[in-house]
Amino acid sequence: MLRDFGSRDGAFIALTAELRARLPALVNGASSHVAVPLQGSGTFIVEATLATLVGPTDKLLVLVNGSYGERMVAIARRLNRPVEVLTWPEHQALEADRVEQALDADPGITHVALVHCETTTGLLNPLAEIAALVAGRGKALLVDAMSSFGALAIDLRATPITALMASSNKCLEGVPGLGFAIIESQALAGSGGNCPSLSLDLHDQWRGFEANGQWRFTPPVQVVAALVEALRQLEAEGGIAARRRRYQENFEVLASGMAALGFRLFLDPAIQAPIIATFRYPEAAWFRFEPFYRGLAERGFLIYPGKLSRADSFRIGCIGAIGPDDFRRLLVAIREVVGALQDGTPNEPALTECRT
Amino acid sequence: MLRDFGSRDGAFIALTAELRARLPALVNGASSHVAVPLQGSGTFIVEATLATLVGPTDKLLVLVNGSYGERMVAIARRLNRPVEVLTWPEHQALEADRVEQALDADPGITHVALVHCETTTGLLNPLAEIAALVAGRGKALLVDAMSSFGALAIDLRATPITALMASSNKCLEGVPGLGFAIIESQALAGSGGNCPSLSLDLHDQWRGFEANGQWRFTPPVQVVAALVEALRQLEAEGGIAARRRRYQENFEVLASGMAALGFRLFLDPAIQAPIIATFRYPEAAWFRFEPFYRGLAERGFLIYPGKLSRADSFRIGCIGAIGPDDFRRLLVAIREVVGALQDGTPNEPALTECRT
């Protein structure tokens, strides 16, 4: 992060090549797919992938059970692409049979898009099952793997996926500023001329890399360098399996500690990914999100507001360069903050668990 | 660069507010314009500004005397916006009288776009003169100030400009990963619904900032923090006037030293900005760009290949956290590399200046 690079110099071209080699290898895609990194946030790479791969005469089916599925719908509509939507409640996983029916009912659908792990809730969707049926019908599958890539195993040799989208700053533990898509080579090669945006055209971006190893437009060099270093650290940790184990332990320490404090998880454990945990607000007058957030922030812990459309909730991330001991310290902080909030509203019965 | 931020936390909201206040103040635009930063490279903010401000029924006139003018044409065509182009040779400044004639000949033109300092060559275009005539005809002016913002004074109270676009990593001396546009408030307020891209919609981006001080989509937090720090350092240096003086001295040390070594500047000094210097290849068999570049890189100096369409050239940047002494060291390195190249081709007469 403290070194500067000439973005067209050999040293940086080598870093870019390492980045583009490491990413598909993580999902067994090195022989079938290519990595196309893009400046910007996760939403930029999702829009770029949809705009590049879904042509004006194609038709996209988006499977939605949270905000990030809805965002893909908004992107497709803004791009003026024909789009169909199948929706599930936020606490339910996508169901393959409804997808199957929708594809059979509308042969005009050419592409299907879904979110692997919905960051709205932390819900893990059944990617392999849906991928198999989409491929069986000869459709392309576009997967927002923003909050799963690097921690939840995806095997492109076993799971047919046309494009996998993610970013530098979630389970890969880099800094934000970069997205990437891992795209099936033939689909990408055939996508020239689709994208209505010069900046977001992943076909042009890929051809740029292939031509001279350079980025078309100035890359965030420190962000790229940090991501390459983060990928080396992922390998040193033991790869995706080891990272998943650490996140799983983080989640379990958090979930059991929160249960002991009286907080309830929003999701059924069967569909909960160890990425981000959504907790319902306690049904108690002492709880208000703002002072709860502030009390934890003062103790060095940043949590997230909820994103549910109908229930009050907050979220705690389980990912990043943190381990179970950090979550034990977090639980101590939560206990303190809950105690302070309860003391501030003395007429309210305390959560008994907090007093033991 | 080594600190992490929660992008929706109060500390980062305060940094974003400082960024959005400091940028328009640098160009006397605080009361008339708003700053809208955007993730990505300079090209992203140029595309976002064109896509947001030029509506589908508007018509854009682009003034071109280099690659970055051409890029605006490519962006507008890709966006399917009606576009007219006026072109000058790369060594000539834009001429107000031709712009005037073009506007009078086509009343359908609603927006005019130009590049303030063409990074292709280092040429400074006559911004104030063209701004006055464009405003006089009631048209909007969009200015790519990528390589001038922060070093060449622009006064929005005296020079009517609808949108000024720049990035974090040139004269502001931040790291790459962020662009921004400083947009006249009324024009931005009226631009809702124009942009065909969700990610690049500056109207939505602005409304996001105004609503809660937060970025719509994950910002590159370290890049933002570095830019705020860079803006504080610009103020500490003495502001834009002081920075221009340093760059001017950099340029003069470079230009006179290169002249002594027999290298010729491409541009007439009257239109040369102290930002980047374009030199013609020496007319001598010993000169080849690759070993020249490599020899300088080995000595710690990265230069740029030329971008001219018809003449062989290379470029040396005068901007960044560097001063005249760095250019004196560069000249020593160039003298060494030239000597080595000449020794490597012993049948070639040496540049006499290198032997004195």
Coordinates of all heavy atoms in Angstrom, one line a residue, chain A residues 235-290:
Chain A
E235 N -3.2 -18.3 -0.1 CA -2.5 -19.6 -0.3 C -1.7 -20.0 0.9 O -1.8 -21.2 1.3 CB -1.6 -19.4 -1.5 CG -0.8 -20.6 -1.9 CD 0.1 -20.4 -3.1 OE1 -0.3 -19.5 -4.0 OE2 1.1 -21.1 -3.2
A236 N -1.1 -19.0 1.5 CA -0.2 -19.4 2.7 C -1.1 -19.9 3.9 O -0.7 -20.7 4.7 CB 0.6 -18.2 3.2
E237 N -2.4 -19.4 3.9 CA -3.3 -19.8 5.0 C -3.7 -21.2 4.8 O -4.2 -21.9 5.8 CB -4.5 -18.9 5.1 CG -5.4 -19.1 6.2 CD -6.6 -18.1 6.4 OE1 -6.6 -17.1 5.6 OE2 -7.4 -18.3 7.3
G238 N -3.6 -21.7 3.6 CA -4.1 -23.1 3.3 C -5.2 -23.1 2.3 O -5.9 -24.1 2.1
G239 N -5.4 -21.9 1.6 CA -6.4 -21.9 0.6 C -7.8 -21.7 1.1 O -8.1 -21.4 2.3
I240 N -8.8 -21.9 0.2 CA -10.2 -21.6 0.5 C -10.7 -22.5 1.6 O -11.5 -22.0 2.4 CB -11.0 -21.8 -0.8 CG1 -10.7 -20.6 -1.8 CG2 -12.5 -21.9 -0.5 CD1 -11.3 -20.7 -3.1
A241 N -10.3 -23.8 1.7 CA -10.8 -24.6 2.7 C -10.4 -24.1 4.1 O -11.2 -24.1 5.0 CB -10.3 -26.1 2.5
A242 N -9.2 -23.7 4.2 CA -8.7 -23.2 5.5 C -9.4 -21.9 5.9 O -9.8 -21.7 7.0 CB -7.2 -23.0 5.5
R243 N -9.6 -21.1 4.9 CA -10.3 -19.8 5.2 C -11.7 -20.0 5.6 O -12.2 -19.4 6.5 CB -10.2 -18.9 3.9 CG -10.8 -17.5 4.2 CD -10.2 -16.4 3.4 NE -8.8 -16.2 3.8 CZ -8.0 -15.3 3.2 NH1 -8.5 -14.5 2.3 NH2 -6.8 -15.2 3.6
R244 N -12.4 -21.0 4.9 CA -13.8 -21.3 5.3 C -13.8 -21.8 6.7 O -14.7 -21.4 7.5 CB -14.4 -22.3 4.4 CG -15.8 -22.5 4.8 CD -16.5 -23.7 4.1 NE -17.9 -23.7 4.6 CZ -19.0 -23.8 4.0 NH1 -18.9 -23.8 2.7 NH2 -20.2 -23.8 4.6
R245 N -12.8 -22.6 7.1 CA -12.8 -23.1 8.5 C -12.7 -22.0 9.5 O -13.4 -21.9 10.5 CB -11.7 -24.1 8.7 CG -12.0 -25.5 8.2 CD -11.0 -26.5 8.7 NE -9.6 -26.3 8.3 CZ -9.1 -26.6 7.1 NH1 -9.8 -27.3 6.2 NH2 -7.8 -26.3 6.8
R246 N -11.8 -21.0 9.2 CA -11.7 -19.9 10.1 C -13.0 -19.1 10.2 O -13.4 -18.7 11.3 CB -10.5 -19.0 9.7 CG -10.3 -17.7 10.5 CD -9.0 -17.1 10.3 NE -8.6 -16.7 9.0 CZ -8.9 -15.6 8.3 NH1 -9.6 -14.7 9.0 NH2 -8.5 -15.4 7.1
Y247 N -13.6 -18.8 9.1 CA -14.8 -18.0 9.1 C -15.9 -18.8 9.8 O -16.8 -18.2 10.5 CB -15.3 -17.7 7.6 CG -14.4 -16.6 6.9 CD1 -14.6 -16.3 5.6 CD2 -13.4 -15.9 7.6 CE1 -13.9 -15.4 4.9 CE2 -12.6 -15.0 6.9 CZ -12.9 -14.7 5.5 OH -12.1 -13.8 4.9
Q248 N -15.9 -20.1 9.6 CA -17.0 -20.9 10.2 C -16.8 -20.9 11.7 O -17.8 -20.7 12.5 CB -16.8 -22.4 9.7 CG -18.0 -23.3 10.2 CD -19.2 -23.0 9.4 OE1 -19.2 -22.9 8.2 NE2 -20.4 -22.9 10.1
E249 N -15.6 -20.9 12.2 CA -15.3 -20.8 13.6 C -15.7 -19.4 14.1 O -16.3 -19.3 15.2 CB -13.8 -21.1 13.9 CG -13.6 -21.4 15.4 CD -12.2 -21.8 15.8 OE1 -11.4 -22.1 14.8 OE2 -11.8 -21.8 17.0
N250 N -15.4 -18.4 13.4 CA -15.8 -17.0 13.7 C -17.3 -17.0 13.9 O -17.8 -16.5 14.9 CB -15.5 -16.0 12.6 CG -14.0 -15.7 12.5 OD1 -13.2 -16.1 13.4 ND2 -13.6 -15.1 11.4
F251 N -18.0 -17.6 12.9 CA -19.5 -17.5 13.0 C -20.0 -18.3 14.2 O -20.9 -17.8 14.9 CB -20.1 -18.1 11.7 CG -21.6 -18.2 11.7 CD1 -22.4 -17.1 11.5 CD2 -22.2 -19.4 12.0 CE1 -23.7 -17.2 11.6 CE2 -23.5 -19.6 12.1 CZ -24.3 -18.4 11.9
E252 N -19.4 -19.4 14.5 CA -19.9 -20.3 15.5 C -19.7 -19.6 16.9 O -20.6 -19.6 17.8 CB -19.4 -21.7 15.5 CG -20.1 -22.4 14.4 CD -19.4 -23.7 13.9 OE1 -18.5 -24.2 14.6 OE2 -19.8 -24.2 12.8
V253 N -18.5 -19.0 17.1 CA -18.3 -18.3 18.3 C -19.3 -17.2 18.5 O -19.9 -17.0 19.5 CB -16.8 -17.7 18.4 CG1 -16.6 -16.8 19.5 CG2 -15.8 -18.9 18.4
L254 N -19.5 -16.4 17.4 CA -20.4 -15.3 17.4 C -21.9 -15.8 17.7 O -22.5 -15.3 18.6 CB -20.4 -14.6 16.0 CG -21.4 -13.5 15.9 CD1 -21.1 -12.3 16.8 CD2 -21.5 -13.0 14.4
A255 N -22.3 -16.8 16.9 CA -23.7 -17.2 17.0 C -24.0 -17.8 18.4 O -25.0 -17.5 19.0 CB -24.0 -18.3 15.9
S256 N -23.1 -18.6 19.0 CA -23.4 -19.2 20.3 C -23.3 -18.1 21.4 O -24.1 -18.1 22.3 CB -22.5 -20.4 20.6 OG -21.1 -19.9 20.6
G257 N -22.3 -17.2 21.2 CA -22.2 -16.1 22.2 C -23.4 -15.2 22.2 O -24.0 -14.8 23.2
M258 N -23.9 -14.9 21.0 CA -25.1 -14.0 20.8 C -26.3 -14.7 21.4 O -27.2 -14.1 22.0 CB -25.3 -13.6 19.4 CG -24.2 -12.6 18.9 SD -24.2 -11.0 19.7 CE -25.5 -10.2 18.7
A259 N -26.5 -16.0 21.1 CA -27.6 -16.8 21.6 C -27.6 -16.7 23.2 O -28.6 -16.5 23.8 CB -27.5 -18.2 21.2
A260 N -26.4 -16.8 23.8 CA -26.3 -16.7 25.2 C -26.7 -15.4 25.7 O -27.2 -15.2 26.9 CB -24.9 -17.1 25.7
L261 N -26.5 -14.3 24.9 CA -26.9 -13.0 25.3 C -28.4 -12.7 24.9 O -28.9 -11.6 25.2 CB -26.0 -11.9 24.6 CG -24.6 -11.9 25.1 CD1 -23.7 -11.1 24.2 CD2 -24.5 -11.3 26.5
G262 N -29.1 -13.7 24.3 CA -30.5 -13.5 24.1 C -30.8 -13.0 22.7 O -32.0 -12.7 22.4
F263 N -29.8 -12.9 21.8 CA -30.1 -12.4 20.4 C -30.4 -13.6 19.5 O -29.8 -14.6 19.6 CB -28.8 -11.7 19.9 CG -28.6 -10.3 20.5 CD1 -27.7 -10.2 21.6 CD2 -29.2 -9.2 20.1 CE1 -27.4 -9.0 22.2 CE2 -29.0 -8.0 20.6 CZ -28.1 -7.9 21.7
R264 N -31.4 -13.4 18.6 CA -31.8 -14.4 17.7 C -31.4 -14.2 16.3 O -31.5 -13.1 15.7 CB -33.3 -14.5 17.8 CG -33.9 -15.1 19.1 CD -35.4 -15.4 18.9 NE -36.2 -14.3 18.5 CZ -37.1 -14.3 17.6 NH1 -37.4 -15.4 17.0 NH2 -37.8 -13.2 17.3
L265 N -30.8 -15.3 15.7 CA -30.4 -15.2 14.3 C -31.7 -15.1 13.4 O -32.7 -15.7 13.8 CB -29.6 -16.4 13.9 CG -28.1 -16.4 14.2 CD1 -27.5 -17.8 14.0 CD2 -27.4 -15.4 13.3
F266 N -31.6 -14.4 12.3 CA -32.8 -14.3 11.4 C -33.0 -15.5 10.6 O -34.1 -15.9 10.3 CB -32.5 -13.1 10.5 CG -33.5 -12.9 9.4 CD1 -34.8 -12.5 9.7 CD2 -33.2 -13.2 8.1 CE1 -35.8 -12.4 8.7 CE2 -34.1 -13.0 7.1 CZ -35.4 -12.6 7.3
L267 N -31.9 -16.2 10.2 CA -32.0 -17.3 9.2 C -32.0 -18.7 9.9 O -31.4 -18.8 11.0 CB -30.8 -17.3 8.2 CG -30.7 -16.2 7.2 CD1 -29.5 -16.4 6.4 CD2 -32.0 -16.2 6.3
D268 N -32.7 -19.6 9.2 CA -32.6 -21.0 9.6 C -31.1 -21.4 9.4 O -30.5 -21.1 8.4 CB -33.4 -21.8 8.6 CG -33.5 -23.3 8.8 OD1 -32.5 -23.8 9.3 OD2 -34.5 -23.9 8.5
P269 N -30.5 -22.1 10.4 CA -29.1 -22.5 10.3 C -28.8 -23.3 9.0 O -27.6 -23.3 8.5 CB -28.9 -23.4 11.5 CG -29.9 -23.0 12.5 CD -31.1 -22.5 11.7
A270 N -29.8 -24.0 8.5 CA -29.5 -24.8 7.3 C -29.1 -24.0 6.1 O -28.5 -24.5 5.1 CB -30.8 -25.7 7.0
I271 N -29.5 -22.8 6.0 CA -29.2 -21.9 4.8 C -28.3 -20.8 5.2 O -28.1 -19.8 4.4 CB -30.5 -21.4 4.1 CG1 -31.4 -20.7 5.1 CG2 -31.2 -22.6 3.4 CD1 -32.6 -20.0 4.5
Q272 N -27.7 -20.8 6.4 CA -26.8 -19.7 6.9 C -25.4 -20.0 6.4 O -24.8 -21.0 6.7 CB -26.9 -19.7 8.4 CG -25.9 -18.7 9.0 CD -26.3 -17.3 9.0 OE1 -27.4 -16.9 9.5 NE2 -25.5 -16.5 8.4
A273 N -24.8 -19.0 5.6 CA -23.4 -19.1 5.3 C -22.6 -18.4 6.4 O -23.1 -17.5 7.1 CB -23.2 -18.3 4.0
P274 N -21.3 -18.9 6.6 CA -20.5 -18.3 7.7 C -19.8 -17.0 7.3 O -18.6 -16.8 7.5 CB -19.5 -19.4 7.9 CG -19.3 -20.0 6.5 CD -20.7 -19.9 5.9
I275 N -20.6 -16.1 6.6 CA -20.0 -14.9 6.0 C -20.5 -13.7 6.8 O -19.7 -12.8 7.2 CB -20.5 -14.8 4.6 CG1 -20.1 -16.0 3.8 CG2 -20.0 -13.5 3.9 CD1 -18.6 -16.2 3.7
I276 N -21.8 -13.6 6.9 CA -22.4 -12.4 7.7 C -23.6 -12.9 8.4 O -24.4 -13.8 7.8 CB -22.7 -11.2 6.8 CG1 -23.0 -10.0 7.6 CG2 -23.7 -11.6 5.7 CD1 -23.0 -8.7 6.7
A277 N -23.8 -12.5 9.7 CA -24.9 -13.0 10.5 C -25.9 -11.9 10.7 O -25.5 -10.8 11.1 CB -24.4 -13.5 11.8
T278 N -27.2 -12.2 10.4 CA -28.2 -11.2 10.6 C -29.0 -11.5 11.9 O -29.4 -12.7 12.1 CB -29.2 -11.2 9.5 OG1 -28.5 -10.8 8.3 CG2 -30.4 -10.2 9.7
F279 N -29.0 -10.6 12.8 CA -29.7 -10.8 14.1 C -31.0 -9.9 14.2 O -30.9 -8.7 13.7 CB -28.8 -10.4 15.3 CG -27.6 -11.4 15.4 CD1 -26.4 -11.0 14.9 CD2 -27.8 -12.6 16.1 CE1 -25.3 -11.9 15.0 CE2 -26.7 -13.4 16.2 CZ -25.5 -13.1 15.6
R280 N -32.0 -10.4 14.7 CA -33.2 -9.6 14.9 C -33.0 -8.7 16.1 O -32.2 -9.0 17.0 CB -34.4 -10.5 15.3 CG -34.9 -11.4 14.1 CD -36.0 -12.3 14.6 NE -36.4 -13.2 13.6 CZ -37.2 -12.9 12.6 NH1 -37.8 -11.7 12.5 NH2 -37.6 -13.8 11.7
Y281 N -33.6 -7.5 16.0 CA -33.6 -6.6 17.2 C -34.2 -7.4 18.4 O -35.2 -8.0 18.2 CB -34.4 -5.3 16.9 CG -33.8 -4.3 16.1 CD1 -32.6 -4.4 15.5 CD2 -34.4 -3.0 16.0 CE1 -32.0 -3.4 14.7 CE2 -33.9 -2.0 15.3 CZ -32.7 -2.2 14.6 OH -32.1 -1.2 13.9
P282 N -33.6 -7.2 19.6 CA -34.3 -7.8 20.7 C -35.6 -7.1 20.9 O -35.8 -5.9 20.6 CB -33.4 -7.5 21.9 CG -32.1 -7.1 21.3 CD -32.4 -6.6 19.9
E283 N -36.6 -7.8 21.4 CA -37.9 -7.2 21.6 C -37.9 -6.6 23.0 O -38.5 -7.2 24.0 CB -39.0 -8.2 21.5 CG -39.3 -8.6 20.0 CD -40.2 -9.8 19.8 OE1 -40.9 -10.2 20.8 OE2 -40.2 -10.3 18.7
A284 N -37.2 -5.5 23.2 CA -37.0 -4.9 24.5 C -36.8 -3.4 24.3 O -36.2 -3.0 23.3 CB -35.8 -5.5 25.2
A285 N -37.4 -2.6 25.2 CA -37.4 -1.2 25.0 C -36.0 -0.6 25.1 O -35.7 0.5 24.6 CB -38.3 -0.5 26.0
W286 N -35.1 -1.3 25.8 CA -33.7 -0.7 26.0 C -33.0 -0.7 24.7 O -32.0 0.0 24.5 CB -32.9 -1.4 27.1 CG -32.8 -2.9 26.8 CD1 -33.6 -3.9 27.4 CD2 -31.8 -3.6 26.0 NE1 -33.2 -5.1 26.9 CE2 -32.1 -4.9 26.1 CE3 -30.8 -3.1 25.2 CZ2 -31.4 -5.9 25.4 CZ3 -30.0 -4.1 24.5 CH2 -30.3 -5.4 24.6
F287 N -33.4 -1.6 23.7 CA -32.5 -1.7 22.5 C -32.9 -0.6 21.5 O -34.0 -0.5 21.0 CB -32.7 -3.1 21.8 CG -31.8 -3.2 20.7 CD1 -30.5 -3.7 20.9 CD2 -32.1 -2.9 19.4 CE1 -29.6 -3.8 19.8 CE2 -31.3 -3.0 18.3 CZ -30.0 -3.4 18.5
R288 N -31.8 0.2 21.1 CA -31.9 1.0 20.0 C -30.6 0.9 19.2 O -29.6 0.8 19.8 CB -32.1 2.5 20.4 CG -33.6 2.8 20.9 CD -33.7 4.2 21.3 NE -32.8 4.6 22.4 CZ -32.0 5.6 22.4 NH1 -31.9 6.4 21.3 NH2 -31.1 5.8 23.4
F289 N -30.7 0.8 17.9 CA -29.6 0.5 17.1 C -28.5 1.5 17.2 O -27.3 1.2 17.3 CB -29.9 0.3 15.6 CG -28.7 -0.1 14.8 CD1 -28.1 -1.3 14.9 CD2 -28.1 0.8 13.9 CE1 -27.0 -1.7 14.1 CE2 -27.0 0.5 13.2 CZ -26.4 -0.8 13.3
E290 N -28.8 2.8 17.2 CA -27.8 3.8 17.1 C -26.8 3.8 18.3 O -25.6 3.7 18.1 CB -28.4 5.2 17.0 CG -28.6 5.8 15.6 CD -27.2 5.7 14.9 OE1 -26.2 6.3 15.4 OE2 -27.2 5.2 13.8

